[in-house]
Amino acid sequence: MIDHLPYGVFRTPGREPRCAARFGDHLIDLYAAESAGAVEAGGTLRARSLNDLMSAGPDVWSSVRRQLLNRPPLDHLVPLSEVELLLPFEVADYVDFYSSEHHAGNVGQIFRPGQPPLLPNWKQLPIGYHGRAGTVVVSGTPVVRPGGLLGAGVVGPSQRLDIEAEIGFVVGIDSTLGRPVPIEEFHRAVFGVVVVNDWSARDIQAFEYQPLGPFLGKSFATSVSAWVTPLEALASAWTPAPPQDPPVVPHLNDDPHHGLDLRLTVTWNGVEVSHPPFASMYWTPAQQLAHMTSNGATLRTGDLFASGTVSGPQRGEVGSFLELTWGGTEPVELGAESRTFLLDGDTVVISATAPGADGGTIRLGEVSGTVLPAVI
Amino acid sequence: MIDHLPYGVFRTPGREPRCAARFGDHLIDLYAAESAGAVEAGGTLRARSLNDLMSAGPDVWSSVRRQLLNRPPLDHLVPLSEVELLLPFEVADYVDFYSSEHHAGNVGQIFRPGQPPLLPNWKQLPIGYHGRAGTVVVSGTPVVRPGGLLGAGVVGPSQRLDIEAEIGFVVGIDSTLGRPVPIEEFHRAVFGVVVVNDWSARDIQAFEYQPLGPFLGKSFATSVSAWVTPLEALASAWTPAPPQDPPVVPHLNDDPHHGLDLRLTVTWNGVEVSHPPFASMYWTPAQQLAHMTSNGATLRTGDLFASGTVSGPQRGEVGSFLELTWGGTEPVELGAESRTFLLDGDTVVISATAPGADGGTIRLGEVSGTVLPAVI
């Protein structure tokens, strides 16, 4: 656990939010630790979110991490059972990619049967879109079933509420408008990693999305883990990404072409239903970052870009229930129940592990959510 | 001018940004005015952006406006020539709609000749998508021509750089996650109006946009006017919107079904090329707001939602050069030049007027931008 040291933000009754690092069943109160001189971070830990630390840049990130690893300030431990965990950073822009070939291929087969599963641009660039930053919520936040137009003149609660199991990357520092961020800058630009559930109302999405893409079908909630794993903690998790054919254009050429060997688990009402392998993603996070800024768009502290649904080649490796139930036509067994999409009261937990140092395993912060009935 | 009183944020050399109201060729330094007791706004005017005032809600907006109209604090005037105007508010989420029937129909004919110009969902709901909030810039900011993938394996500067003349609506106060904001709340939720140029690289957009919509083709820059016209200043500008057929679903039913009689002017290198009529928009701003939150998505202080390109039924009323030149096939004359899309060095200015009180006319803040050469 000590090699992991993910960051978060907590609150205890009657107090302002404080930055923390997780330490087993406890957290280290980093506000208290920096105030007491037990760690030096230029004051960035005495803030109500991780944004100050994130904007301080990679040298400070390394320095703080080294201090915490070398001299954990254990005088400032608080039991996790006594705190409320909050959204750990203020989200600037939220981008969602679509970078699993298996997921894109499955969705293509389900929605466009008989046609090529991938569109012609899919292997040329990482397809992505902007989501709603203001509805990114922390793990544990209830998710109200969205209502909306399910077809011409038909309004009602979504009948096809789904999950998307993803990994999200949190940007630390700003870049300059009009200047693309080269692919080599990935390790200096990205502060850390969260587990993401990009909740999706497939019926709302299907009716609205032509020609401008998903909007209300995804903007009601995107859940992220309460803990941000620093990119440095994943040093042992890099692994070759799948070969790319055709070759990518120069500004998307990453060398090494590496992804992260993260293994996700999707648990639905306590039943493990899928184990999506992040290492199978076609487009890597470095390629996504380079693509996103290739037009001169800026990065800002708190930008979140998510991988897109993580799906492996097997049915037990898919990151959405759309795929798991093949468009709702092949129910899955949850204990005594046979199920397709989410019902009110359902709880989904997505967790992830990664190779740690010396053959160990890191458990990333999980993301959970329970569905509440629609308001309309 | 005194009946308009738009708000902005300015800086003079060596000083922090301050809130202001425009007063002819001067501005009223609202930080100084509130500090001197000449206006009372609960301290919200002593901030570096309009967000504090915006988040204070409609009663404070009315109170401040009334004070400024009744007793303009003219001891605190600063000539506009001595200041730099800044982005007037911190943008939370940026949504762009597609609500002009003429624009959507023109685009449909240009991109899908021989097919129905509107897709089946277009008259059922206001089509929209999320844009990049972090690249919303203030009028006058240079726009670097974006580069990107223009086709399979083809990288280069955009050859089809375009504008979109729009009106943007700025949200004042937060709403509650999971609770749709009813259409009647429009006037309490929206603080004011800006003029918007949603710059668009049509070639990048055309290659990337299937199936998830526009991304890099629009995320490099969205320019807004430096002045935010308070919604209250537009009380005389409401006018019946075009009839809607088929009838809309109940949560999109606005009564009265009113839009704003804003008249836009697009000036390209000094030549007036178009006069888009905002009153022709099919979907009204109140309908857009209700749609955007109908799935329970929250509003936040600083959310910006833009109308989509404003185009009237005539060629001289379109809000994009894609339409003005019919996909680049029918050049327009700019003085001695014959032109289609934007060249480096081009300057576009979009302005707007509205009916004011007693038969007068309000001039909204204009939005201008000059194209710089691509970096790649």
PDB file of all heavy atoms in Angstrom, chain B residues 344-375:
ATOM      1  N   ASP B 344      -5.242  33.214 -43.706  1.00  0.00           N
ATOM      2  CA  ASP B 344      -4.472  33.811 -42.607  1.00  0.00           C
ATOM      3  C   ASP B 344      -4.506  35.333 -42.739  1.00  0.00           C
ATOM      4  O   ASP B 344      -4.391  35.875 -43.846  1.00  0.00           O
ATOM      5  CB  ASP B 344      -3.021  33.319 -42.648  1.00  0.00           C
ATOM      6  CG  ASP B 344      -2.913  31.824 -42.371  1.00  0.00           C
ATOM      7  OD1 ASP B 344      -3.895  31.229 -41.862  1.00  0.00           O
ATOM      8  OD2 ASP B 344      -1.852  31.251 -42.669  1.00  0.00           O
ATOM      9  N   GLY B 345      -4.676  36.000 -41.612  1.00  0.00           N
ATOM     10  CA  GLY B 345      -4.748  37.446 -41.614  1.00  0.00           C
ATOM     11  C   GLY B 345      -6.162  38.001 -41.708  1.00  0.00           C
ATOM     12  O   GLY B 345      -6.383  39.191 -41.455  1.00  0.00           O
ATOM     13  N   ASP B 346      -7.106  37.164 -42.078  1.00  0.00           N
ATOM     14  CA  ASP B 346      -8.503  37.628 -42.154  1.00  0.00           C
ATOM     15  C   ASP B 346      -9.022  38.000 -40.760  1.00  0.00           C
ATOM     16  O   ASP B 346      -8.654  37.369 -39.754  1.00  0.00           O
ATOM     17  CB  ASP B 346      -9.407  36.523 -42.709  1.00  0.00           C
ATOM     18  CG  ASP B 346      -9.342  36.423 -44.229  1.00  0.00           C
ATOM     19  OD1 ASP B 346      -8.580  37.179 -44.842  1.00  0.00           O
ATOM     20  OD2 ASP B 346     -10.057  35.569 -44.785  1.00  0.00           O
ATOM     21  N   THR B 347      -9.870  38.998 -40.748  1.00  0.00           N
ATOM     22  CA  THR B 347     -10.544  39.399 -39.512  1.00  0.00           C
ATOM     23  C   THR B 347     -12.049  39.324 -39.705  1.00  0.00           C
ATOM     24  O   THR B 347     -12.567  39.813 -40.711  1.00  0.00           O
ATOM     25  CB  THR B 347     -10.147  40.834 -39.111  1.00  0.00           C
ATOM     26  OG1 THR B 347      -8.740  40.873 -38.821  1.00  0.00           O
ATOM     27  CG2 THR B 347     -10.932  41.298 -37.880  1.00  0.00           C
ATOM     28  N   VAL B 348     -12.712  38.686 -38.753  1.00  0.00           N
ATOM     29  CA  VAL B 348     -14.175  38.613 -38.770  1.00  0.00           C
ATOM     30  C   VAL B 348     -14.709  39.290 -37.513  1.00  0.00           C
ATOM     31  O   VAL B 348     -14.210  39.044 -36.404  1.00  0.00           O
ATOM     32  CB  VAL B 348     -14.662  37.148 -38.827  1.00  0.00           C
ATOM     33  CG1 VAL B 348     -16.186  37.080 -38.715  1.00  0.00           C
ATOM     34  CG2 VAL B 348     -14.189  36.486 -40.115  1.00  0.00           C
ATOM     35  N   VAL B 349     -15.689  40.144 -37.702  1.00  0.00           N
ATOM     36  CA  VAL B 349     -16.369  40.814 -36.588  1.00  0.00           C
ATOM     37  C   VAL B 349     -17.858  40.485 -36.676  1.00  0.00           C
ATOM     38  O   VAL B 349     -18.455  40.617 -37.748  1.00  0.00           O
ATOM     39  CB  VAL B 349     -16.177  42.344 -36.648  1.00  0.00           C
ATOM     40  CG1 VAL B 349     -16.927  43.020 -35.495  1.00  0.00           C
ATOM     41  CG2 VAL B 349     -14.704  42.712 -36.625  1.00  0.00           C
ATOM     42  N   ILE B 350     -18.417  40.027 -35.568  1.00  0.00           N
ATOM     43  CA  ILE B 350     -19.858  39.775 -35.507  1.00  0.00           C
ATOM     44  C   ILE B 350     -20.448  40.717 -34.472  1.00  0.00           C
ATOM     45  O   ILE B 350     -19.977  40.772 -33.333  1.00  0.00           O
ATOM     46  CB  ILE B 350     -20.162  38.309 -35.142  1.00  0.00           C
ATOM     47  CG1 ILE B 350     -19.464  37.357 -36.116  1.00  0.00           C
ATOM     48  CG2 ILE B 350     -21.671  38.053 -35.137  1.00  0.00           C
ATOM     49  CD1 ILE B 350     -19.504  35.898 -35.700  1.00  0.00           C
ATOM     50  N   SER B 351     -21.440  41.479 -34.885  1.00  0.00           N
ATOM     51  CA  SER B 351     -22.099  42.408 -33.969  1.00  0.00           C
ATOM     52  C   SER B 351     -23.586  42.097 -33.956  1.00  0.00           C
ATOM     53  O   SER B 351     -24.080  41.299 -34.748  1.00  0.00           O
ATOM     54  CB  SER B 351     -21.842  43.851 -34.398  1.00  0.00           C
ATOM     55  OG  SER B 351     -22.300  44.041 -35.722  1.00  0.00           O
ATOM     56  N   ALA B 352     -24.284  42.719 -33.023  1.00  0.00           N
ATOM     57  CA  ALA B 352     -25.721  42.455 -32.914  1.00  0.00           C
ATOM     58  C   ALA B 352     -26.402  43.670 -32.310  1.00  0.00           C
ATOM     59  O   ALA B 352     -25.827  44.360 -31.465  1.00  0.00           O
ATOM     60  CB  ALA B 352     -25.977  41.222 -32.055  1.00  0.00           C
ATOM     61  N   THR B 353     -27.638  43.899 -32.749  1.00  0.00           N
ATOM     62  CA  THR B 353     -28.464  44.949 -32.145  1.00  0.00           C
ATOM     63  C   THR B 353     -29.778  44.328 -31.682  1.00  0.00           C
ATOM     64  O   THR B 353     -30.155  43.232 -32.121  1.00  0.00           O
ATOM     65  CB  THR B 353     -28.780  46.077 -33.144  1.00  0.00           C
ATOM     66  OG1 THR B 353     -29.506  45.519 -34.248  1.00  0.00           O
ATOM     67  CG2 THR B 353     -27.520  46.741 -33.652  1.00  0.00           C
ATOM     68  N   ALA B 354     -30.445  45.055 -30.798  1.00  0.00           N
ATOM     69  CA  ALA B 354     -31.737  44.595 -30.278  1.00  0.00           C
ATOM     70  C   ALA B 354     -32.620  45.812 -30.053  1.00  0.00           C
ATOM     71  O   ALA B 354     -32.108  46.906 -29.792  1.00  0.00           O
ATOM     72  CB  ALA B 354     -31.532  43.857 -28.954  1.00  0.00           C
ATOM     73  N   PRO B 355     -33.940  45.620 -30.119  1.00  0.00           N
ATOM     74  CA  PRO B 355     -34.833  46.720 -29.744  1.00  0.00           C
ATOM     75  C   PRO B 355     -34.643  47.057 -28.260  1.00  0.00           C
ATOM     76  O   PRO B 355     -34.613  46.158 -27.417  1.00  0.00           O
ATOM     77  CB  PRO B 355     -36.236  46.139 -29.996  1.00  0.00           C
ATOM     78  CG  PRO B 355     -36.035  44.970 -30.906  1.00  0.00           C
ATOM     79  CD  PRO B 355     -34.678  44.431 -30.574  1.00  0.00           C
ATOM     80  N   GLY B 356     -34.509  48.338 -27.970  1.00  0.00           N
ATOM     81  CA  GLY B 356     -34.409  48.777 -26.589  1.00  0.00           C
ATOM     82  C   GLY B 356     -35.726  49.407 -26.155  1.00  0.00           C
ATOM     83  O   GLY B 356     -36.735  49.323 -26.867  1.00  0.00           O
ATOM     84  N   ALA B 357     -35.690  50.021 -24.999  1.00  0.00           N
ATOM     85  CA  ALA B 357     -36.902  50.668 -24.497  1.00  0.00           C
ATOM     86  C   ALA B 357     -37.255  51.876 -25.367  1.00  0.00           C
ATOM     87  O   ALA B 357     -36.380  52.468 -26.012  1.00  0.00           O
ATOM     88  CB  ALA B 357     -36.685  51.095 -23.053  1.00  0.00           C
ATOM     89  N   ASP B 358     -38.540  52.219 -25.418  1.00  0.00           N
ATOM     90  CA  ASP B 358     -39.016  53.441 -26.084  1.00  0.00           C
ATOM     91  C   ASP B 358     -38.581  53.524 -27.540  1.00  0.00           C
ATOM     92  O   ASP B 358     -38.247  54.602 -28.033  1.00  0.00           O
ATOM     93  CB  ASP B 358     -38.493  54.689 -25.335  1.00  0.00           C
ATOM     94  CG  ASP B 358     -38.893  54.663 -23.870  1.00  0.00           C
ATOM     95  OD1 ASP B 358     -40.034  54.235 -23.590  1.00  0.00           O
ATOM     96  OD2 ASP B 358     -38.062  55.036 -23.028  1.00  0.00           O
ATOM     97  N   GLY B 359     -38.547  52.387 -28.236  1.00  0.00           N
ATOM     98  CA  GLY B 359     -38.220  52.402 -29.654  1.00  0.00           C
ATOM     99  C   GLY B 359     -36.754  52.564 -29.972  1.00  0.00           C
ATOM    100  O   GLY B 359     -36.377  52.668 -31.139  1.00  0.00           O
ATOM    101  N   GLY B 360     -35.922  52.606 -28.975  1.00  0.00           N
ATOM    102  CA  GLY B 360     -34.488  52.728 -29.194  1.00  0.00           C
ATOM    103  C   GLY B 360     -33.862  51.415 -29.629  1.00  0.00           C
ATOM    104  O   GLY B 360     -34.540  50.392 -29.785  1.00  0.00           O
ATOM    105  N   THR B 361     -32.547  51.454 -29.849  1.00  0.00           N
ATOM    106  CA  THR B 361     -31.799  50.267 -30.265  1.00  0.00           C
ATOM    107  C   THR B 361     -30.610  50.064 -29.336  1.00  0.00           C
ATOM    108  O   THR B 361     -29.903  51.022 -28.994  1.00  0.00           O
ATOM    109  CB  THR B 361     -31.300  50.436 -31.716  1.00  0.00           C
ATOM    110  OG1 THR B 361     -32.425  50.538 -32.585  1.00  0.00           O
ATOM    111  CG2 THR B 361     -30.440  49.242 -32.144  1.00  0.00           C
ATOM    112  N   ILE B 362     -30.424  48.825 -28.938  1.00  0.00           N
ATOM    113  CA  ILE B 362     -29.264  48.445 -28.128  1.00  0.00           C
ATOM    114  C   ILE B 362     -28.222  47.816 -29.038  1.00  0.00           C
ATOM    115  O   ILE B 362     -28.565  46.994 -29.887  1.00  0.00           O
ATOM    116  CB  ILE B 362     -29.703  47.419 -27.052  1.00  0.00           C
ATOM    117  CG1 ILE B 362     -30.569  48.094 -25.989  1.00  0.00           C
ATOM    118  CG2 ILE B 362     -28.510  46.729 -26.434  1.00  0.00           C
ATOM    119  CD1 ILE B 362     -31.203  47.109 -25.032  1.00  0.00           C
ATOM    120  N   ARG B 363     -26.971  48.194 -28.850  1.00  0.00           N
ATOM    121  CA  ARG B 363     -25.886  47.506 -29.570  1.00  0.00           C
ATOM    122  C   ARG B 363     -25.204  46.572 -28.594  1.00  0.00           C
ATOM    123  O   ARG B 363     -24.590  47.023 -27.614  1.00  0.00           O
ATOM    124  CB  ARG B 363     -24.845  48.503 -30.094  1.00  0.00           C
ATOM    125  CG  ARG B 363     -25.344  49.389 -31.226  1.00  0.00           C
ATOM    126  CD  ARG B 363     -24.188  50.119 -31.887  1.00  0.00           C
ATOM    127  NE  ARG B 363     -23.282  49.183 -32.527  1.00  0.00           N
ATOM    128  CZ  ARG B 363     -23.493  48.651 -33.736  1.00  0.00           C
ATOM    129  NH1 ARG B 363     -24.556  48.974 -34.428  1.00  0.00           N
ATOM    130  NH2 ARG B 363     -22.630  47.803 -34.244  1.00  0.00           N
ATOM    131  N   LEU B 364     -25.275  45.262 -28.839  1.00  0.00           N
ATOM    132  CA  LEU B 364     -24.583  44.309 -27.976  1.00  0.00           C
ATOM    133  C   LEU B 364     -23.083  44.384 -28.228  1.00  0.00           C
ATOM    134  O   LEU B 364     -22.634  44.895 -29.270  1.00  0.00           O
ATOM    135  CB  LEU B 364     -25.091  42.883 -28.241  1.00  0.00           C
ATOM    136  CG  LEU B 364     -26.386  42.476 -27.526  1.00  0.00           C
ATOM    137  CD1 LEU B 364     -27.571  43.275 -28.027  1.00  0.00           C
ATOM    138  CD2 LEU B 364     -26.628  40.985 -27.690  1.00  0.00           C
ATOM    139  N   GLY B 365     -22.299  43.871 -27.287  1.00  0.00           N
ATOM    140  CA  GLY B 365     -20.854  43.809 -27.480  1.00  0.00           C
ATOM    141  C   GLY B 365     -20.522  42.970 -28.695  1.00  0.00           C
ATOM    142  O   GLY B 365     -21.124  41.924 -28.913  1.00  0.00           O
ATOM    143  N   GLU B 366     -19.579  43.437 -29.513  1.00  0.00           N
ATOM    144  CA  GLU B 366     -19.222  42.679 -30.709  1.00  0.00           C
ATOM    145  C   GLU B 366     -18.147  41.647 -30.378  1.00  0.00           C
ATOM    146  O   GLU B 366     -17.490  41.717 -29.330  1.00  0.00           O
ATOM    147  CB  GLU B 366     -18.708  43.619 -31.803  1.00  0.00           C
ATOM    148  CG  GLU B 366     -17.400  44.284 -31.446  1.00  0.00           C
ATOM    149  CD  GLU B 366     -16.947  45.270 -32.499  1.00  0.00           C
ATOM    150  OE1 GLU B 366     -17.797  45.827 -33.215  1.00  0.00           O
ATOM    151  OE2 GLU B 366     -15.724  45.495 -32.592  1.00  0.00           O
ATOM    152  N   VAL B 367     -18.010  40.678 -31.282  1.00  0.00           N
ATOM    153  CA  VAL B 367     -16.955  39.675 -31.104  1.00  0.00           C
ATOM    154  C   VAL B 367     -16.100  39.670 -32.364  1.00  0.00           C
ATOM    155  O   VAL B 367     -16.617  39.560 -33.480  1.00  0.00           O
ATOM    156  CB  VAL B 367     -17.549  38.281 -30.782  1.00  0.00           C
ATOM    157  CG1 VAL B 367     -18.494  37.777 -31.859  1.00  0.00           C
ATOM    158  CG2 VAL B 367     -16.442  37.270 -30.518  1.00  0.00           C
ATOM    159  N   SER B 368     -14.792  39.851 -32.175  1.00  0.00           N
ATOM    160  CA  SER B 368     -13.905  39.897 -33.339  1.00  0.00           C
ATOM    161  C   SER B 368     -12.733  38.944 -33.143  1.00  0.00           C
ATOM    162  O   SER B 368     -12.383  38.579 -32.019  1.00  0.00           O
ATOM    163  CB  SER B 368     -13.381  41.321 -33.568  1.00  0.00           C
ATOM    164  OG  SER B 368     -12.365  41.615 -32.636  1.00  0.00           O
ATOM    165  N   GLY B 369     -12.153  38.533 -34.259  1.00  0.00           N
ATOM    166  CA  GLY B 369     -10.988  37.657 -34.208  1.00  0.00           C
ATOM    167  C   GLY B 369     -10.243  37.698 -35.525  1.00  0.00           C
ATOM    168  O   GLY B 369     -10.861  37.848 -36.587  1.00  0.00           O
ATOM    169  N   THR B 370      -8.923  37.575 -35.438  1.00  0.00           N
ATOM    170  CA  THR B 370      -8.063  37.565 -36.620  1.00  0.00           C
ATOM    171  C   THR B 370      -7.334  36.221 -36.680  1.00  0.00           C
ATOM    172  O   THR B 370      -6.857  35.721 -35.664  1.00  0.00           O
ATOM    173  CB  THR B 370      -7.045  38.720 -36.546  1.00  0.00           C
ATOM    174  OG1 THR B 370      -7.769  39.948 -36.557  1.00  0.00           O
ATOM    175  CG2 THR B 370      -6.066  38.684 -37.711  1.00  0.00           C
ATOM    176  N   VAL B 371      -7.253  35.660 -37.892  1.00  0.00           N
ATOM    177  CA  VAL B 371      -6.670  34.336 -38.076  1.00  0.00           C
ATOM    178  C   VAL B 371      -5.150  34.428 -38.181  1.00  0.00           C
ATOM    179  O   VAL B 371      -4.621  35.195 -39.004  1.00  0.00           O
ATOM    180  CB  VAL B 371      -7.243  33.659 -39.338  1.00  0.00           C
ATOM    181  CG1 VAL B 371      -6.605  32.297 -39.564  1.00  0.00           C
ATOM    182  CG2 VAL B 371      -8.762  33.548 -39.240  1.00  0.00           C
ATOM    183  N   LEU B 372      -4.452  33.655 -37.368  1.00  0.00           N
ATOM    184  CA  LEU B 372      -2.989  33.543 -37.456  1.00  0.00           C
ATOM    185  C   LEU B 372      -2.631  32.241 -38.169  1.00  0.00           C
ATOM    186  O   LEU B 372      -3.404  31.288 -38.166  1.00  0.00           O
ATOM    187  CB  LEU B 372      -2.373  33.544 -36.055  1.00  0.00           C
ATOM    188  CG  LEU B 372      -2.603  34.803 -35.203  1.00  0.00           C
ATOM    189  CD1 LEU B 372      -1.812  34.687 -33.895  1.00  0.00           C
ATOM    190  CD2 LEU B 372      -2.179  36.051 -35.965  1.00  0.00           C
ATOM    191  N   PRO B 373      -1.432  32.187 -38.757  1.00  0.00           N
ATOM    192  CA  PRO B 373      -1.035  30.957 -39.456  1.00  0.00           C
ATOM    193  C   PRO B 373      -0.943  29.758 -38.508  1.00  0.00           C
ATOM    194  O   PRO B 373      -0.684  29.920 -37.319  1.00  0.00           O
ATOM    195  CB  PRO B 373       0.359  31.294 -40.017  1.00  0.00           C
ATOM    196  CG  PRO B 373       0.437  32.788 -40.003  1.00  0.00           C
ATOM    197  CD  PRO B 373      -0.428  33.249 -38.871  1.00  0.00           C
ATOM    198  N   ALA B 374      -1.141  28.567 -39.052  1.00  0.00           N
ATOM    199  CA  ALA B 374      -1.037  27.338 -38.267  1.00  0.00           C
ATOM    200  C   ALA B 374       0.371  27.166 -37.727  1.00  0.00           C
ATOM    201  O   ALA B 374       1.346  27.655 -38.316  1.00  0.00           O
ATOM    202  CB  ALA B 374      -1.418  26.139 -39.130  1.00  0.00           C
ATOM    203  N   VAL B 375       0.492  26.472 -36.594  1.00  0.00           N
ATOM    204  CA  VAL B 375       1.800  26.207 -35.981  1.00  0.00           C
ATOM    205  C   VAL B 375       2.460  24.994 -36.621  1.00  0.00           C
ATOM    206  O   VAL B 375       3.676  24.953 -36.790  1.00  0.00           O
ATOM    207  CB  VAL B 375       1.631  26.002 -34.456  1.00  0.00           C
ATOM    208  CG1 VAL B 375       2.913  25.479 -33.837  1.00  0.00           C
ATOM    209  CG2 VAL B 375       1.219  27.315 -33.799  1.00  0.00           C
TER     210      VAL B 375
END
